[in-house]
Amino acid sequence: MPPFTDGGAEILEWMKGMRDDRPVWRDEHNRYFVFRYADVQAVFSDPARFSSNIGRLMPVFGAEKLSANLPWQDPPDHRRLRQLVSQAFTPKTVAGMRPRIGEVVGQLLADAPGDEFDFVEQLAYPLPVIVIAELLGISPGDRAFFRRCADRLLGIGAEKGESEQKVVEAIAEATKELDEYLLAEVRQRRAKGSTDDVLGALAAAELNGERLTDLQVATFAALLLNTGHITTTLLLGNTLLCLDDNPDAEARIRADRSLVPAALEEVVRRRPPFPRACRIATTDVEIAGEVIPADAFVMPSILSANHDERQFEKPEQFDIQRDPNRHFGFGHGIHFCLGAPLARLETEIALNRLMTEFTDLRISADPVFHPSEFYGVKEMTVSVRRA
C-alpha cells in the first residue's frame, strides 16, 4: 500500500484501482482491506460478524483496561459503557466550551511570530490539548507532558507494513505513562468527591448502581485526550490543505461564514484524519466475492469509501455544499465518534478566527505528512497577512 508522504495523491489513485478491480485485498499480514463504500458500511453496521473487540486477540492490555476502551467494545457492553461516559461528556459540556475555545484560539494566534510560522506548531497541535486538558481538569503545567505522550502515539505505525500486533503493542507502551498519571488524578477526585470537571464526573457516573472503576475512568480519559487531540490537530491542518488547494471555496467561505460547518464536513470526507478502522471477523464471511476467514483482521478503508464514485458524485472535487454528504470520517453506527462535536466546534471556531485575523493565509512550503496510520500534516509553514 502506498504511503501518505505525498499528501495522499498516490494512495488515492491506488485505492480507485482497488475499488474497481480488487474491492477486498489481503496484505502481507493477512489483513483484509475493504475499499468500497457499500462494503465498508456493511462492516460498520454488523458488529455480530465484524467485532470491534480486537483486544481479545491481542491480550497486551489487561481485561479491566480493555473493558473501558469504548472503540473496542461490542454490544451490549458498548451501549452500557457509552451510556456511562455520556453522562460526563455531554453536548452541554462541549457547547459550554465555546467561549474558552475562542479565547485559546485568539491567544495562540496573537502569539504567532511574524508573518510566517508553522501552523501545526502554533495552533493545530496546542489548541486541542489545551481544550481537552481543561475539560478533564488537568493542570496547565502538565501540557508539556501530554505533548510527549501524544508525540509517542503520533509516531506509531511509521514503519511501512507494521502488523496490527506491533501497532497495538506500541500503543500499549506509548500510553503507559499517561495511564499512570490519569489514574492518580482519578483517585484524587474520588478522595475529594469532586465532580467539577469531566474526570470527576466520569468517576461519579452511575448506571443501574454501577460505576466505572478508577482504571476504567483513567482509560477513557486517556482515549479522549489522545484521540480527541489527534483528530482535531489533523482536521485543522487538513482544512487549510483543502482551502489552499481550492481558493474559490475559501473566497466563498470568507464572504459567507454560514458555509463553514458544511465546508468542514467536506474536509472530513476529503481528508479523514483516521484513514481506516479495524474489525475482526467472528465467522467466515464473504464480501465482494472474497471469503474472509473467522478471526481475520478486517480493515474498512474510510479514506477509500469517502472517495467512492459509487456513493459520491465527483468525489475528488472539493464541494463545500455537497448534499448529502454521508461520509465515514467520524465513523458510523454505534461507533460514531463521541468526540466529533468537540472536534467540529474547535475547528469551526478556529477557521472563523483565522479568516477574521488574516486577510490572506497561504501554505508557503511543502508540508511534511505523516507516513501512515494518520492522514494529515506533521509540519506546515504558512504565510499570513494580518487584518
Side-chain angles (χ1 to χ4, degrees):
M1 183 181 296
F4 295 155
T5 47
D6 69 343
E10 183 182 359
I11 198 168
L12 285 171
E13 185 63 28
W14 179 81
M15 286 178 170
K16 183 180 187 304
M18 298 302 279
R19 287 193 300 272
D20 291 339
D21 303 324
R22 297 188 64 185
V24 176
W25 171 68
R26 185 178 67 179
D27 73 356
E28 67 271 25
H29 299 294
N30 291 319
R31 299 178 298 185
Y32 290 79
F33 285 76
V34 179
F35 294 108
R36 289 179 182 168
Y37 184 98
D39 295 330
V40 168
Q41 185 175 40
V43 172
F44 281 151
S45 303
D46 192 353
R49 292 195 300 170
F50 301 100
S51 170
S52 297
N53 187 13
I54 64 176
R56 69 182 177 86
L57 292 188
M58 293 173 292
V60 63
F61 300 110
E64 186 180 6
K65 183 175 173 62
L66 284 172
S67 70
N69 193 314
L70 189 60
W72 288 4
Q73 297 299 307
D74 292 325
D77 294 333
H78 175 271
R79 181 179 181 183
R80 177 189 60 81
L81 181 59
R82 186 152 181 145
Q83 285 178 324
L84 273 168
V85 300
S86 294
Q87 292 178 31
F89 193 62
T90 65
K92 183 179 179 181
T93 299
V94 171
M97 288 295 292
R98 177 178 284 275
R100 178 57 181 150
I101 294 170
E103 290 176 5
V104 174
V105 172
Q107 187 60 56
L108 291 172
L109 293 181
D111 293 341
D115 58 2
E116 190 171 73
F117 52 87
D118 183 346
F119 178 78
V120 176
E121 180 73 20
Q122 189 62 40
L123 179 67
Y125 201 111
L127 171 62
V129 75
I130 292 170
V131 171
I132 296 174
E134 290 189 5
L135 271 172
L136 292 172
I138 301 302
S139 168
D142 292 325
R143 289 173 191 161
F145 164 71
F146 287 135
R147 172 156 196 160
R148 291 197 306 273
C149 294
D151 281 343
R152 294 190 199 112
L153 202 63
L154 281 165
I156 291 170
E159 296 298 324
K160 184 178 179 181
E162 281 190 333
S163 69
E164 210 64 24
Q165 176 74 35
K166 290 292 186 183
V167 169
V168 172
E169 287 175 357
I171 291 172
E173 184 61 32
T175 57
K176 185 176 180 182
E177 189 178 5
L178 178 60
D179 290 344
E180 291 171 354
Y181 173 93
L182 289 170
L183 190 57
E185 290 287 320
V186 172
R187 288 169 176 161
Q188 203 175 74
R189 302 299 193 286
R190 295 266 202 218
K192 294 180 179 179
S194 172
T195 58
D196 295 336
D197 50 49
V198 169
L199 204 55
L202 282 168
E206 186 175 321
L207 183 65
N208 299 326
E210 180 185 4
R211 288 186 175 183
L212 297 168
T213 67
D214 291 352
L215 181 58
Q216 288 173 327
V217 174
T219 297
F220 180 75
L223 176 72
L224 183 63
L225 185 64
N226 282 321
T227 60
H229 180 200
I230 291 168
T231 299
T232 304
T233 294
L234 296 174
L235 180 54
L236 282 163
N238 288 346
T239 299
L240 253 62
L241 285 170
C242 288
L243 294 182
D244 196 75
D245 287 342
N246 299 274
D248 289 347
E250 180 187 351
R252 289 175 62 197
I253 295 168
R254 283 184 177 276
D256 182 0
R257 300 293 183 84
S258 70
L259 295 173
V260 166
L264 294 181
E265 292 306 307
E266 181 68 347
V267 172
V268 180
R269 183 198 67 82
R270 182 73 177 79
R271 291 183 170 273
F274 292 94
R276 63 174 176 81
C278 181
R279 299 290 189 267
I280 293 175
T282 60
T283 185
D284 292 356
V285 60
E286 183 176 325
I287 300 180
E290 181 84 18
V291 176
I292 300 175
D295 289 334
F297 284 104
V298 181
M299 320 302 290
S301 175
I302 292 169
L303 179 60
S304 178
N306 281 1
H307 286 256
D308 191 348
E309 304 83 352
R310 298 156 188 81
Q311 174 67 21
F312 299 101
E313 184 178 354
K314 299 179 180 178
E316 301 313 312
Q317 179 177 314
F318 183 70
D319 181 358
I320 60 174
Q321 290 182 294
R322 187 180 293 276
D323 185 29
N325 193 358
R326 300 187 183 95
H327 61 75
F328 295 139
F330 288 120
H332 178 72
I334 64 170
H335 285 288
F336 186 83
C337 178
L338 190 65
L342 181 59
R344 284 169 167 145
L345 180 63
E346 289 178 276
T347 311
E348 174 196 330
I349 292 171
L351 180 56
N352 272 299
R353 190 61 178 262
L354 284 164
M355 289 187 165
T356 298
E357 294 286 331
F358 305 123
T359 57
D360 190 55
L361 174 62
R362 292 286 171 264
I363 298 171
S364 53
D366 290 340
V368 178
F369 291 89
H370 291 283
S372 62
E373 299 303 318
F374 306 109
Y375 192 40
V377 293
K378 295 170 63 176
E379 301 170 18
M380 185 166 63
T381 302
V382 297
S383 60
V384 300
R385 184 166 63 241
R386 296 183 183 272

